[in-house]
């Protein structure tokens, strides 16, 4: 089979390039090993012991971001169950891909970084059970769940087909996995339960916090098999898009938090750390209990694609909620901007992200193409190689908003996130007091269910970065968002970056100009970044 991972902007930087080093897949191969080595010790045993010999050898062709093709031979471990007491093995399994020969050169990946790439989209179930090679797992949608009894039913849960409020077409783009493999990295792809899964009794067994618990269990499996599984288990880098980006960020923020211990023990997760080294998150849809307010702050003035305006009374009420929330965070913007508030956030987004994004885009165009673009987009002032414009003009440029209001906790319980916070046989619940008060489905409760505050905390990386900063969190963050992405608010990823930055973490965050939800236009740079932050140089076998 032939895999292509092509980037619109063909920018790839060699890693550790020195005299006599051969470049493969945009990443330099060197005989030098990383300073971080793995011992042969392992805490895994029995069903959770990784079998080093249970692989299939495969060959694929990967096209790097310069358009060059690379032949990669790799060892592939198919659908390994990562917990001792799985609820559903179809989803609670992972694959491992380890390069052994790249362009005819044998490589040693025993100490390589491990790309931990989930394929979650829309908080839907994802499975690698039928994966036949690297990058071939994916989201399972609302398909039958494969419950423990073997008699699962398909769910008619809100937004089960990815239409409506939640974009369910996320998942880690396969270009990350393919380029990582061609760069000599180990690639682990975990499945995870998702919100639409029901058993024979009609109970939802993939709702929050199942997905993050599963991903943590998968990390524990990998780390417990240190010395057995190829790769440096102390250098795990997560990656995910949309809801998968949110889970990737949460995985990085919540490493080794005891709040998940009971859930992990119930699954028979390995007795190991679930902390990861670095996080890659594309358009993360997270901070859900505040997402309605942040969405209205960002997109409240924009009309829907139908041309109609959303209820402005609701929009303004939610914007007020966002202002209160943002003030409570006390996070500082990147670039010494100062504390971010609802009053200065528009200026911050324009200065820190939007104008630099437009500048990069325009600078990469030919003179004639730039002239044509600027003629069609007169709101941009181009002077001395720099783009400037106002927030209001930017919103007009983007145009229609993707979602109605409330965007995430719908009054009629129709949003995918309502399903995410379902419980038992209840397919969808309100998770904000405001939407509960304005419910249109006949819900009679006056207060949110008592379990929801804990569940929301378990699903929100901001809790581990702001409320109670987690010392075991990742210290390296790669965050990306398209400027035209109205699936969520621009403040969501910016707040995530600001919170990590405020704690002194290494943050690499930028926006892709004129790109929408799920964009990944610089995958080669991500691969380069992994090598930089992990201090890795791929080893060539002699």
């Amino acid at each position: 089979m032939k895999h292509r991972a092509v980037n619109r902007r063909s920018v790839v930087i060699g890693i550790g390039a020195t005299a006599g080093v051969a470049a493969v897949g945009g990443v330099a191969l060197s005989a030098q090993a990383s300073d971080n080595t793995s011992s042969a010790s392992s805490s895994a045993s029995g069903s959770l012991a990784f079998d080093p010999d249970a692989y299939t050898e495969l060959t694929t062709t990967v096209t790097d971001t310069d358009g060059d093709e690379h032949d990669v031979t790799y060892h592939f471990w198919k659908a390994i169950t990562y917990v001792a007491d799985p609820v559903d093995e179809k989803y609670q399994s992972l694959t491992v891909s380890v390069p052994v020969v790249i362009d005819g050169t044998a490589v040693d990946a025993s100490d390589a970084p491990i790309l931990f790439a989930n394929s979650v989209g829309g908080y839907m179930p994802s499975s690698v059970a039928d994966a036949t090679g690297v990058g071939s797992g994916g989201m399972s949608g609302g398909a039958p769940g494969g419950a423990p009894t073997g008699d699962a039913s398909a769910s008619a849960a809100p937004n089960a087909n990815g239409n409506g409020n939640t974009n369910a077409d996320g998942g880690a783009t396969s270009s990350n996995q393919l380029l990582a493999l061609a760069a000599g990295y180990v690639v682990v792809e975990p499945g995870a339960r998702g919100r639409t899964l029901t058993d024979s009794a009609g109970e939802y067994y993939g709702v929050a916090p199942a997905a993050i618990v599963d991903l943590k269990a998968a990390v524990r499996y990998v780390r417990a098999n240190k010395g057995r599984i190829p790769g440096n288990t102390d250098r795990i880098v997560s990656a995910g898009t949309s809801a998968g980006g949110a889970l990737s960020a949460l995985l990085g923020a919540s490493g080794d938090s005891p709040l998940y211990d009971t859930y992990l023990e119930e699954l028979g997760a390995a007795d190991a750390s679930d902390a990861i080294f670095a996080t890659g998150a594309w358009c993360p849809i997270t901070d859900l209990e505040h997402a309605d307010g942040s969405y209205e702050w960002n997109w409240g003035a924009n009309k829907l694609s139908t041309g109609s305006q959303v209820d402005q009374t609701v929009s303004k009420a939610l914007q007020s909620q966002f202002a209160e929330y943002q003030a409570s965070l006390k996070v500082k913007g990147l670039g010494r901007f100062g504390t971010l508030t609802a009053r200065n956030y528009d200026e911050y987004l324009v200065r820190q992200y939007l104008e630099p994004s437009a500048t990069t885009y325009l600078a990469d165009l030919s003179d004639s193409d730039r002239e044509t673009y600027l003629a069609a987009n007169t709101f941009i002032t181009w002077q001395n190689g720099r783009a400037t414009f106002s927030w209001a003009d930017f919103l007009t440029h983007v145009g229609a908003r993707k979602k109605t209001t409330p965007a995430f906790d719908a009054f009629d319980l129709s949003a995918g996130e309502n399903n995410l916070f379902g419980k038992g046989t209840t397919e969808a619940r309100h998770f904000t007091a405001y939407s509960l008060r304005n419910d249109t489905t006949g819900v009679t409760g006056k207060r949110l269910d008592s379990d929801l505050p804990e569940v929301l905390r378990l699903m929100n990386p901001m809790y581990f970065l702001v409320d109670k900063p987690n010392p075991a969190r990742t210290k390296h963050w790669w965050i990306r968002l398209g400027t035209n992405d109205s699936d969520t608010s621009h403040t969501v990823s910016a707040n995530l970056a600001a919170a990590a930055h405020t704690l002194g973490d290494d943050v690499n965050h930028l926006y892709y100009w004129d790109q929408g939800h799920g964009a990944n236009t610089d995958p080669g740079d991500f691969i380069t970044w992994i090598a930089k932050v992990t201090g890795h140089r791929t080893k060539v076998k002699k």
Side-chain angles (χ1 to χ4, degrees):
M1 60 181 172
K2 186 174 184 178
H3 293 299
R4 297 185 64 85
V6 180
N7 176 18
R8 287 191 181 91
R9 296 179 58 219
S10 298
V11 180
V12 182
I13 303 172
I15 299 173
T18 57
V21 176
V24 175
V27 180
L29 298 181
S30 168
Q32 291 181 278
S34 167
D35 292 335
N36 301 292
T37 58
S38 297
S39 68
S41 62
S42 173
S43 59
S45 61
S47 63
L48 296 183
F50 180 81
D51 184 353
D53 299 320
Y55 62 82
T56 300
E57 187 167 290
L58 303 174
T59 300
T60 188
T61 300
V62 178
T63 304
D64 68 20
T65 53
D66 281 330
D68 296 326
E69 293 186 346
H70 303 281
D71 294 323
V72 182
T73 299
Y74 66 102
H75 293 168
F76 179 71
W77 284 260
K78 176 181 173 65
I80 304 167
T81 303
Y82 52 70
V83 289
D85 301 309
V87 175
D88 193 332
E89 289 181 279
K90 177 178 179 181
Y91 303 99
Q92 294 170 309
S93 60
L94 58 80
T95 64
V96 179
S97 299
V98 180
V100 291
V101 179
I102 302 174
D103 289 340
T105 300
V107 296
D108 179 5
S110 60
D111 196 39
I114 297 174
L115 179 64
F116 186 85
N118 78 70
S119 56
V120 175
Y123 289 102
M124 303 283 271
S126 63
S127 175
V128 296
D130 298 323
T132 56
V134 65
S136 61
M139 189 179 66
S140 298
T149 61
D151 185 23
S153 61
S155 172
N159 195 35
N161 295 317
N163 300 315
N165 288 341
T166 300
N167 185 297
D169 298 324
T173 52
S174 61
S175 59
N176 289 337
Q177 292 95 298
L178 296 171
L179 291 174
L181 192 73
Y185 304 166
V186 173
V187 178
V188 173
E189 298 175 84
R193 289 169 292 165
R195 60 182 173 84
T196 57
L197 297 176
T198 57
D199 63 18
S200 59
E203 294 195 358
Y204 288 84
Y205 64 92
V207 293
I212 185 60
V213 171
D214 284 355
L215 295 182
K216 281 178 169 288
V219 171
R220 288 190 174 199
Y221 175 88
V222 172
R223 299 199 67 161
N225 281 285
K226 180 177 182 177
R228 289 195 182 101
I229 195 169
N232 188 340
T233 58
D234 294 324
R235 293 293 183 267
I236 297 174
V237 182
S238 68
T241 301
S242 191
L247 291 168
S248 180
L250 180 57
L251 193 64
S254 66
D256 288 340
S257 170
L259 297 180
Y260 302 87
D261 284 352
T262 299
Y263 298 94
L264 289 162
E265 290 169 3
E266 290 175 352
L267 296 176
D271 182 15
S273 170
D274 55 59
I276 61 172
F277 186 78
T279 286
W282 285 258
C283 54
I285 294 185
T286 187
D287 201 1
L288 296 174
E289 60 266 49
H290 307 106
D292 290 329
S294 61
Y295 193 91
E296 293 311 311
W297 178 90
N298 199 145
W299 305 112
N302 291 48
K303 294 181 180 180
L304 295 164
S305 59
T306 60
S308 62
Q309 188 69 271
V310 300
D311 188 323
Q312 289 300 292
T313 300
V314 173
S315 180
K316 290 176 181 178
L318 290 170
Q319 289 177 48
S320 295
Q321 292 179 24
F322 170 75
E324 293 179 9
Y325 170 62
Q326 191 63 45
S328 73
L329 290 177
K330 297 182 174 61
V331 294
K332 295 181 179 180
L334 280 67
R336 296 179 290 183
F337 185 84
T339 302
L340 298 174
T341 69
R343 289 189 174 187
N344 65 18
Y345 221 130
D346 53 351
E347 178 188 359
Y348 174 67
L349 288 173
V350 170
R351 284 173 47 186
Q352 179 65 33
Y353 296 114
L354 300 176
E355 287 178 344
S357 176
T359 297
T360 299
Y361 174 81
L362 288 166
D364 283 349
L365 296 178
S366 66
D367 290 343
S368 60
D369 286 346
R370 186 184 312 113
E371 183 178 349
T372 299
Y373 186 89
L374 289 170
N377 295 277
T378 56
F379 75 97
I380 298 176
T381 297
W382 180 255
Q383 187 173 8
N384 298 323
R386 181 172 178 266
T388 58
F389 46 83
S390 71
W391 173 249
D393 285 342
F394 166 72
L395 292 179
T396 300
H397 172 67
V398 173
R401 55 186 280 167
K402 174 79 175 285
K403 303 177 181 181
T404 187
T405 190
F408 298 93
D409 189 354
F411 292 158
D412 63 358
L413 293 172
S414 62
E417 288 76 15
N418 292 124
N419 178 211
L420 175 64
F421 293 105
K423 183 181 181 182
T425 57
T426 300
E427 119 182 309
R429 292 189 295 172
H430 290 299
F431 52 93
T432 66
Y434 181 79
S435 287
L436 178 62
R437 289 196 303 270
N438 291 278
D439 172 79
T440 60
T441 68
V443 173
T444 58
K446 302 298 182 182
R447 295 183 179 180
L448 294 174
D449 290 346
S450 59
D451 67 300
L452 279 169
E454 177 190 359
V455 175
L456 287 164
R457 186 162 55 245
L458 294 174
M459 295 300 293
N460 193 346
M462 297 298 285
Y463 172 81
F464 301 96
L465 297 174
V466 177
D467 295 359
K468 292 187 177 181
N470 176 24
R473 71 185 182 280
T474 176
K475 305 302 191 298
H476 304 280
W477 301 83
W478 174 280
I479 306 171
R480 294 293 187 267
L481 184 74
T483 60
N484 287 9
D485 184 353
S486 66
D487 278 67
T488 187
S489 170
H490 286 2
T491 66
V492 172
S493 65
N495 267 342
L496 183 66
H501 169 73
T502 299
L503 292 175
D505 295 351
D506 164 41
V507 177
N508 188 318
H509 182 207
L510 60 79
Y511 289 15
Y512 304 129
W513 186 251
D514 276 354
Q515 296 297 304
H517 195 66
N520 179 18
T521 68
D522 57 351
D525 291 345
F526 176 57
I527 302 305
T528 300
W529 178 81
I530 291 175
K532 178 182 177 181
V533 299
T534 61
H536 176 72
R537 291 185 179 182
T538 303
K539 294 187 293 185
V540 176
K541 281 189 173 180
K542 294 183 179 180

